[in-house]
Amino acid sequence: MAPNPRPIPRFIADTSQEGIAGGRFSARLREAFVGAVSDIADLPAGAAVPEEVDWFPERAWGGRVWVPCSARTESEEGILELYGHVSYDLPEGDGDPSGFRATADFTDVLAEDNPDWKIDLNDDVIGRWRGENGRAGAVTLVWGRPLVRGAVAATAELDGETVDQEEIVRDRFSLVALDALEAYGDDVFMEVKLWSRRAMELAAESLYAAVEEDEPTPDAES
C-alpha cells in the first residue's frame, strides 16, 4: 500500500487486562486518590472520598497503567462528583505495581441533572504525540458511562476513523487516543461513540465543546 499522506496513530494503548479493580488493590488505589483529593485547593467543605470508589477499566500507555475513577460525595455546597485517575509503573513479569501517582478534581454538574445527556464523560490529557512536519496531538484518557440502553462497546474516532475501542464493563468504559490534532489542516478532535450488539450507533459526543461568543452589548442611547 502507498504511504498515508495523513497518518493518524491508532490503538496506541494496551486493552484492559484486569477489568475493574477490587479487593486490596482497589484499597491501594483509593489511598492514592484520597491524597490527590486532599490537594484540591478549592474543594468545598465537607467533601471527602467515600469508602466505595467507582473504578473504571485500566489502560496501559507510555510505560504506565492508568486507572480512572469517580465517586459521589456530599459537601456544604451540595452533592459533588469527585473524578480523576491513579497511575502506576507498568510491572515487569510478576512484579508488584509501584510509582503510584494520582490526579483529582470535582464538579457539581451531574448526569441526573442533565436528562439530555447520552454519555457521561470525563477526560484528561496524559501525554503528547509528535509526528513529522509539525504534526502533534494530545494523548487523552477518556472514561465514562453510557446513559442509553443497549450499549456494549465504546469507540474513539478522529475524522471518522476509529482509533480506539473497548468493551463496556459494568456500565463503564475507558479509552486512550489522540485528541486536538495539530498541523493536519482542519481542526481534528476526538469523538466518542457508543455501539449496540448489532453494531448500531447509539450515541456520539465530541470532546470539543464550542464556546459561544458573547453577544455584543448594544450601544447606550445618548
Side-chain angles (χ1 to χ4, degrees), residues 2-70:
N4 189 332
R6 202 164 179 258
I8 296 176
R10 300 183 300 161
F11 302 99
I12 60 176
D14 293 351
T15 59
S16 176
Q17 303 296 308
E18 304 296 335
I20 294 175
R24 292 182 178 179
F25 188 58
S26 66
R28 178 64 185 89
L29 295 173
R30 180 184 178 278
E31 180 182 342
F33 186 58
V34 167
V37 170
S38 67
D39 290 337
I40 301 176
D42 57 345
L43 185 67
V49 179
E51 288 299 321
E52 294 296 328
V53 175
D54 289 339
W55 300 105
F56 290 69
E58 95 292 347
R59 301 297 301 273
W61 174 83
R64 296 186 67 78
V65 180
W66 306 83
V67 188
C69 63
S70 66

Side-chain angles (χ1 to χ4, degrees), residues 76-116:
E76 292 184 359
E77 297 182 12
I79 297 176
L80 305 174
E81 181 173 278
L82 303 171
Y83 64 93
H85 52 78
V86 180
S87 67
Y88 53 90
D89 293 332
L90 186 64
E92 295 184 4
D94 296 329
D96 294 329
S98 60
F100 285 83
R101 304 174 194 162
T103 65
D105 206 339
F106 71 93
T107 181
D108 60 358
V109 181
L110 307 177
E112 57 265 33
D113 298 328
N114 293 273
D116 57 321

Side-chain angles (χ1 to χ4, degrees), residues 8-9 12 61 123-131 134-142 156 158 163 175-184 188-190 207:
I8 296 176
I12 60 176
W61 174 83
D123 64 273
D124 192 25
V125 175
I126 59 174
R128 185 168 175 79
W129 172 83
R130 293 184 295 176
R135 290 190 174 108
V139 179
T140 304
L141 173 66
V142 179
L158 287 173
V163 291
L175 300 166
V176 176
L178 297 188
D179 185 35
L181 298 188
E182 302 171 14
Y184 278 81
V188 181
F189 296 94
M190 186 198 306
L207 293 192

